[in-house]
Amino acid sequence: MADIDDFATSLLEEAKRFLEKAVEGKDNARRDANLHEALMLAFCSLEAQVNAIAEEFCSRPELTPHDKGILLERAVRLEDGEFTLGGFRMYRLEDRILFLHRQFSGKRLDKSAAWWPQLKRAMDNRNKLTHPKGAHPVTVENVRDALAAVIASLDALYMAIYKKGFPAAGLALDSLLTF
């Protein structure tokens, strides 16, 4: 488990460093490339963290096959009169975050928290970049907000599930990297 946690944290640090490089840069093409990289890595980190949390909790005996299906992104089938896990089935990231929060804290996520709509906007920007139907400019402010939302969402999940904050939240948007 530590390997995926370390990897997810390194992805977040890389995202923050690419944002710093975008802000430092004078060249528009380089700035845009750094912004794209920062946005995509921020979501890679968020998904890796969500996967790590899901993996950690999926072995609990009280979980149903449907619960495990959501956690592990697997289809649930009925075979020989019982539910079993089948092949890959993708769930939306926001649904998995909501599920983890509710399932392991016993409480609904507060969607009125400032970071939730910020995360939804960031997901929209990421989706427009991932599945372009035309040019979609990304600004420093978009990426800064996206990174802040990713960190805040992980902090909220950690507080709800583990009763302690996300360890990397204290650094905010400051990267430990210098490349």
Side-chain angles (χ1 to χ4, degrees):
M1 187 62 65
D3 288 344
I4 186 64
D5 291 337
D6 291 344
F7 182 62
T9 300
S10 71
L11 291 172
L12 182 60
E13 287 303 314
E14 290 171 17
K16 293 189 297 185
R17 182 60 187 137
F18 278 112
L19 174 60
E20 290 169 350
K21 290 178 74 69
V23 171
E24 295 165 1
K26 308 284 187 252
D27 177 282
N28 287 346
R30 184 170 290 156
R31 181 201 65 225
D32 289 349
N34 285 323
L35 289 173
H36 294 158
E37 191 69 34
L39 182 61
M40 298 308 286
L41 283 171
F43 278 96
C44 290
S45 175
L46 177 58
E47 294 211 29
Q49 289 284 352
V50 166
N51 287 338
I53 294 168
E55 206 46 57
E56 179 181 341
F57 284 99
C58 74
S59 63
R60 289 186 169 194
E62 71 271 14
L63 295 179
T64 69
H66 290 89
D67 295 334
K68 290 179 182 181
I70 293 167
L71 292 174
L72 299 173
E73 290 193 294
R74 305 270 303 275
V76 178
R77 299 189 300 232
L78 187 59
E79 286 185 11
D80 293 327
E82 69 178 338
F83 290 111
T84 62
L85 295 179
F88 178 72
R89 181 182 191 283
M90 191 179 329
Y91 289 89
R92 294 181 324 158
L93 178 59
E94 67 189 85
D95 291 334
R96 292 183 78 214
I97 291 170
L98 292 166
F99 179 79
L100 284 168
H101 192 283
R102 176 90 182 246
Q103 184 71 25
F104 300 112
S105 75
K107 300 175 190 160
R108 289 178 188 235
L109 188 142
D110 179 9
K111 291 183 183 178
S112 68
W115 63 267
W116 182 255
Q118 191 177 14
L119 183 65
K120 298 282 284 176
R121 282 190 302 277
M123 286 179 181
D124 185 52
N125 279 326
R126 187 265 325 248
N127 290 341
K128 287 178 180 172
L129 187 59
T130 304
H131 310 286
K133 292 185 175 34
H136 180 68
V138 178
T139 66
V140 168
E141 292 75 26
N142 294 149
V143 176
R144 193 176 282 138
D145 289 349
L147 275 163
V150 164
I151 293 166
S153 68
L154 288 169
D155 195 48
L157 268 179
Y158 269 66
M159 288 301 292
I161 295 171
Y162 301 114
K163 310 299 183 233
K164 64 179 184 174
F166 176 55
L171 292 172
L173 299 182
D174 296 325
S175 175
L176 297 172
L177 302 176
T178 59
F179 63 83

